Amino acid sequence: MVSPAEAREPITPSPWVIGPEKLVTYQSIFSAHAQTNPMCLSSDEASELLQQSNLPRPELEEIWRLADLNCDGWLTFGEFACAMHLIGRRRQNLDIPQELPPELLALASSSGGALALPSSTGS
């Protein structure tokens, strides 16, 4: 049973939860830059965006490693949103986690990791 004092303590939200407003922002950025494939950002497309954070290259490489769940060199929307959130939190002086936090893992996993490139067979 929870004591009355414990019940009054505010619950501190995880810094890794992405709010709905941020998701809308990330979706707009993703959609505007997904030129090669509307379902994924290529490594070139994503790198260009992520480098705008001005974080050191080793930190960006670590964030990429965490966000690109299937290590295919492409970011789905969920993976991209995770990368952007990790960058935002790093810029707020939070340490980059050793592994993707469960809150972000759920998002990155939900958008699928399959590469959905258009067929080049011309049919």
Side-chain angles (χ1 to χ4, degrees):
M1 180 144 199
V2 176
S3 74
E6 291 173 324
R8 285 188 294 247
E9 289 181 21
I11 297 173
T12 304
S14 166
W16 306 114
V17 171
I18 304 176
E21 303 85 18
K22 279 288 186 195
L23 281 176
V24 170
T25 300
Y26 296 155
Q27 181 65 59
S28 294
I29 295 167
F30 181 87
S31 297
H33 291 86
Q35 302 298 313
T36 307
N37 176 355
M39 301 302 292
C40 300
L41 288 176
S42 69
S43 58
D44 289 341
E45 292 165 341
S47 293
E48 184 179 317
L49 285 168
L50 303 183
Q51 288 174 20
Q52 292 177 17
S53 69
N54 292 321
L55 288 179
R57 185 173 181 91
E59 290 185 3
L60 289 173
E61 289 172 353
E62 182 63 14
I63 288 169
W64 183 278
R65 183 192 67 76
L66 290 169
D68 185 12
L69 287 186
N70 56 1
C71 302
D72 65 356
W74 293 75
L75 295 182
T76 62
F77 170 68
E79 291 171 332
F80 172 73
C82 290
M84 292 294 287
H85 198 64
L86 288 165
I87 286 169
R89 292 304 190 206
R90 181 64 191 125
R91 292 183 71 195
Q92 293 173 339
N93 293 319
L94 268 68
D95 290 334
I96 298 169
Q98 295 295 313
E99 50 189 49
L100 205 56
E103 301 88 343
L104 296 180
L105 183 59
L107 175 63
S109 300
S110 70
S111 60
L115 185 60
L117 287 175
S119 172
S120 60
T121 61
S123 47

